[in-house]
Amino acid sequence: MNPKHQSTTEVSLAPMTQKPVTCSGARPQSLHWDTSQQSCQDVCKSVPEISNMKIQGMPLGSCSLPTSPTSNSKSESRYGLDPQLLPSVVQVIKEDRLQWEGKVFASKSKSSVPPLSSTRCTLEDRGNATPHFIRCTTYSFPVAVQSAQKSHLPLGATVHPLAMPERGERSVPVCEAGDCVKGCGHCGAFMSPAMSWQDCGQRFYCPFCDKLSEVPWQSYQPTNQGRRVDLERKPELSLGSYEILEKQMSNAAVLVLAIDVSASAMRMGHLDHICQQICSQLQILQGTEAGQSDLRVGLMTYDSRIHLYNLSPALSRPHMMIITDCEEMELPVTEGLLASESPGKLLIFHSSPLTERTDEKSSSVLFSSSKLKSIFQGPDSSTSLAKDCVNQGCCVHTFVFSHQEVGGAWPGHIPFLTGGALICYNSVQSEMEQERFQADLSRCVNMQMAFKAQLKAFVSREMRISGCYGAFILGPDSSLVAMAALDWRTTMAFEFTHNKPLDEERGVAIQFVLSYSTSSGESRKRIHTVTLPCSHQLLDTFRSSQAESLLTFYCKKMYSLALEIPLQSLREELQTEVTEMLACFRRHNCTTSVSPGQLVLPQFLKALPVYINSLRKSEVLLPGLRSSVQQRLQLRCLIVSMDTMSTASQFYPHILPLAVSGSNTNMPSVEETVRCTASSLDQGGLYLIYCPLALLLWVGSRVPPQTLLQLFNTNSFSSLTSGKIKLPVLENFLSFSTRDLVSSLQSQAAVTLQLKMVKEGDSCEESLQHLLVEDKSPNGGASYSDFLFHLHVNSLRLIT
């Protein structure tokens, strides 16, 4: 048995009351609460039995908290809970590292719960795709349909098709199409260890369609105890992940540059700087160690007209053609313009002010409208153009250098729906912005991508695919997703629903097949398969779930549904599902010795409440007054395609204490984090706060002058200025270790992060408050302790 399953499945958050209490009353019509309008006494009166409860020895009806030097009003509970004694994400991560750090997790068929994504261990494929590629919301599906519905635990998987292997792990093996054993001839599923062999290897059973397929004589091999004798020589028979190299070749990918050459672009100096950086990147490609790059590059410029350039090698010099009718554009020629069926990247460099069309609603109207869902929906013209880009395999990256606020014509819909990105800059006159643009351009040009990608999902025939969530255009078939391109960071989520009871002996099989072409034109298919156990006991389902996997699934689902459903409804749905889930666990899986006044959580879901609260009060689902429409659109598009590790750190950032003593020679690392609350920040300390979209350096008002001198080359706190900074290069350990850690964190992010310094007491601290997810948020979100209390109260209401 896996060691994780030997641990207790309940986590006590409160001592039991002296006499048993029971909860009664009708089920509430709504589980929504508003902590700003309800006192702690009101909440306790709503469930009378709670008034006698004590958490950590304190009456729940009392608002007083033990005072401490680091206490903060934003961290305190309205109901007398000590925030420091609640389940901690930091502790959960630490315990998982103690168990798995440096070890090997063997991903076998029907294997158990894997290590957390933040734990550094070796993942070994022994018949199941490793958690690098697939993570499930639970690793034991309920057998019965009624049990799955009753649990309110979503059954789903997040797939990370092109994930990069960690150091020491082998890459996904590649085999020739003609050498592979063919998969199911009925449903099209590919060969995998989930198939079971019969009749001495002449036929195999497919769990995805429940049918038998004959093995062609060319690939027949006998079986020994149900296993083919060539098992170890065939990746498709022994591994959960492998890749097939097809014989046919497609067109190689191209790079097309579209540059704004308007008067404003030249006047502001943008055009000159853009051209310099483009030339530098092309020279790097031309002078690669492997020799001259065979990447084809096309060029177009535009102002009020479009200028096309024929770069055919047959010409003595490029020819420019001008198109004045931009509404119904037709290409005068195709030769030399890369206008064939080639996939690739389109890089747009835009400097002119972006204005919205008069026939469209303004963003301010959409923002104040009761139909908040409308702000996430792109105009029909953008969706139509994005579909054309998907069919072509054209990935759009847009670099915007306009100073003006983007209006209703937000230019990010097409880039994010095609696997690209939108990156905005304040001023390329700034040295830091120039460095940021250089890094972004280099990453965009050199990023290896899969073009004309199609992801097909298969699941055991007892189940069906009921939803697919991510950064793409939804099609009529939820089991098939088409994308213009995707990179190694892109992750999607699939949701499954029972058709009928599962077979406990066979379990449930899930397979994802990614068909794509490489930048050189190779056609490939990458196959990932997992087989999971199923159980009649809901306890097995709960104890096989992980908080970070559920967070990733819920994030992708809620952010995707935001296109169609009002945000208030999504927040209510999210908290209702979690409350029902905890109530089900308590009703069916808790021991009789647990008092109704004691909150219990499944062992691996201890961190779920703080994760869910952070998701509910995120800028996308619960906007603040200072959160613009453009920021919310950008955040949604960036976060919805993140993998599990990035999602977990986005909704629970890392706070890393830095050494303030000159005698301390320990290198700070991401393993030495503290809780995301203001009470964790010491006035005499320095802290790096990191999430995939932000990197802050918080400086306490009582940091020793000597420490300030070592890091900032000044010994005066008052002389420091909050804002984006570049740490000076100083010859001391603190300066070196901090710069090294900052560089390491920046390299992990999908976008170029600039370090921002925040002084204690400065107005810029609001940017930090959004990241202290255990505290009350500036946008009105509840603190972790208050949210956890309400989860407990409402789950008790559901128990009769």
Side-chain angles (χ1 to χ4, degrees), residues 505-525:
E505 182 179 348
R506 291 177 179 171
V508 57
I510 303 170
Q511 185 178 89
F512 296 102
V513 179
L514 177 70
S515 304
Y516 69 99
S517 64
T518 65
S519 58
S520 61
E522 291 180 341
S523 297
R524 296 190 175 214
K525 286 183 171 61

Side-chain angles (χ1 to χ4, degrees), residues 300-308 321-332:
M300 62 177 287
T301 57
Y302 64 93
D303 43 24
S304 60
R305 303 169 300 176
I306 295 177
H307 320 119
L308 301 177
M321 292 155 283
I322 301 177
I323 299 179
T324 57
D325 184 6
C326 300
E327 292 296 327
E328 298 181 2
M329 188 174 68
E330 294 184 3
L331 296 179

Side-chain angles (χ1 to χ4, degrees), residues 426-642:
N426 295 325
S427 172
V428 291
Q429 308 303 326
S430 164
E431 180 182 352
M432 287 188 291
E433 287 287 81
Q434 289 178 2
E435 292 179 356
R436 178 176 164 232
F437 172 54
Q438 180 181 3
D440 289 332
L441 180 60
S442 176
R443 179 188 291 108
C444 178
V445 171
N446 295 289
M447 174 73 74
Q448 292 296 315
M449 305 190 75
F451 298 96
K452 286 192 173 182
Q454 285 192 333
L455 183 67
K456 176 70 174 177
F458 298 88
V459 67
S460 296
R461 65 183 303 271
E462 294 89 354
M463 307 197 75
R464 70 179 186 275
I465 298 168
S466 55
C468 181
Y469 314 109
F472 45 78
I473 302 174
L474 290 173
D477 185 359
S478 58
S479 66
L480 180 63
V481 177
M483 295 163 285
L486 75 159
D487 59 33
W488 64 271
R489 298 180 184 272
T490 307
T491 307
M492 292 147 283
F494 287 80
E495 187 171 13
F496 310 115
T497 305
H498 281 73
N499 285 325
K500 60 181 182 178
L502 290 167
D503 187 322
E504 190 171 13
E505 182 179 348
R506 291 177 179 171
V508 57
I510 303 170
Q511 185 178 89
F512 296 102
V513 179
L514 177 70
S515 304
Y516 69 99
S517 64
T518 65
S519 58
S520 61
E522 291 180 341
S523 297
R524 296 190 175 214
K525 286 183 171 61
R526 179 171 285 201
I527 297 93
H528 301 294
T529 310
V530 293
T531 306
L532 306 176
C534 55
S535 173
H536 287 282
Q537 303 298 323
L538 273 180
L539 178 61
D540 294 332
T541 300
F542 279 107
R543 77 191 313 177
S544 300
S545 301
Q546 273 184 327
E548 64 171 17
S549 297
L550 280 172
L551 168 68
T552 307
F553 175 84
Y554 276 131
C555 173
K556 296 185 186 303
K557 181 176 181 178
M558 295 297 136
Y559 279 18
S560 296
L561 294 180
L563 295 173
E564 302 293 339
I565 302 177
L567 303 181
Q568 174 70 13
S569 300
L570 290 178
R571 294 196 301 271
E572 291 182 1
E573 177 186 344
L574 183 58
Q575 66 189 28
T576 300
E577 285 296 298
V578 176
T579 306
E580 295 267 13
M581 182 196 310
L582 297 181
C584 177
F585 175 75
R586 187 184 188 92
R587 184 186 297 116
H588 298 282
N589 300 307
C590 289
T591 61
T592 56
S593 61
V594 175
S595 164
Q598 189 175 10
L599 176 61
V600 289
L601 294 169
Q603 174 67 18
F604 301 120
L605 298 184
K606 289 188 292 185
L608 185 62
V610 68
Y611 279 148
I612 295 299
N613 187 43
S614 179
L615 174 59
R616 286 183 66 253
K617 62 183 182 181
S618 64
E619 290 296 297
V620 175
L621 298 183
L622 187 63
L625 295 177
R626 294 184 178 89
S627 177
S628 69
V629 175
Q630 293 75 37
Q631 290 172 330
R632 296 172 60 202
L633 289 166
Q634 183 89 343
L635 283 172
R636 177 196 169 272
C637 292
L638 288 170
I639 296 173
V640 77
S641 61
M642 284 183 178

Side-chain angles (χ1 to χ4, degrees), residues 136-150:
C136 300
T137 56
T138 178
Y139 285 82
S140 179
F141 278 35
V143 169
V145 179
Q146 296 80 5
S147 296
Q149 296 172 345
K150 185 168 52 180

Side-chain angles (χ1 to χ4, degrees), residues 341 378-396 413-419 452-454 471-477 481-485 563-564:
E341 295 298 319
D380 293 339
S381 57
S382 295
T383 304
S384 177
L385 180 55
K387 289 181 179 179
D388 291 339
C389 291
V390 170
N391 294 332
Q392 177 74 16
C394 176
C395 174
V396 180
H413 292 293
I414 295 174
F416 284 110
L417 288 175
T418 59
K452 286 192 173 182
Q454 285 192 333
F472 45 78
I473 302 174
L474 290 173
D477 185 359
V481 177
M483 295 163 285
L563 295 173
E564 302 293 339

Side-chain angles (χ1 to χ4, degrees), residues 602-763:
Q603 174 67 18
F604 301 120
L605 298 184
K606 289 188 292 185
L608 185 62
V610 68
Y611 279 148
I612 295 299
N613 187 43
S614 179
L615 174 59
R616 286 183 66 253
K617 62 183 182 181
S618 64
E619 290 296 297
V620 175
L621 298 183
L622 187 63
L625 295 177
R626 294 184 178 89
S627 177
S628 69
V629 175
Q630 293 75 37
Q631 290 172 330
R632 296 172 60 202
L633 289 166
Q634 183 89 343
L635 283 172
R636 177 196 169 272
C637 292
L638 288 170
I639 296 173
V640 77
S641 61
M642 284 183 178
D643 61 13
T644 300
M645 184 168 65
S646 298
T647 304
S649 58
Q650 177 65 32
F651 289 100
Y652 199 91
H654 300 290
I655 301 183
L656 313 173
L658 301 180
V660 295
S661 171
S663 60
N664 192 339
T665 57
N666 293 324
M667 182 76 74
S669 70
V670 294
E671 299 180 5
E672 300 172 357
T673 58
V674 297
R675 298 181 68 155
C676 284
T677 172
S679 60
S680 298
L681 305 179
D682 186 355
Q683 292 179 326
L686 294 165
Y687 298 86
L688 271 175
I689 298 94
Y690 165 80
C691 70
L693 300 180
L695 181 60
L696 307 181
L697 174 59
W698 187 82
V699 184
S701 59
R702 298 181 182 177
V703 175
Q706 181 63 24
T707 300
L708 296 178
L709 187 63
Q710 292 178 348
L711 190 58
F712 303 109
N713 204 25
T714 179
N715 58 8
S716 173
F717 176 79
S718 60
S719 66
L720 299 177
T721 303
S722 294
K724 295 179 179 178
I725 64 166
K726 187 175 182 180
L727 292 174
V729 179
L730 303 174
E731 296 299 326
N732 61 76
F733 179 79
L734 178 60
S735 176
F736 169 77
S737 60
T738 303
R739 286 184 285 108
D740 186 69
L741 180 56
V742 167
S743 177
S744 175
L745 294 174
Q746 289 173 330
S747 66
Q748 298 175 20
V751 296
T752 302
L753 298 179
Q754 284 189 302
L755 180 64
K756 181 179 181 180
M757 184 170 67
V758 177
K759 292 172 57 179
E760 181 187 0
D762 196 279
S763 58

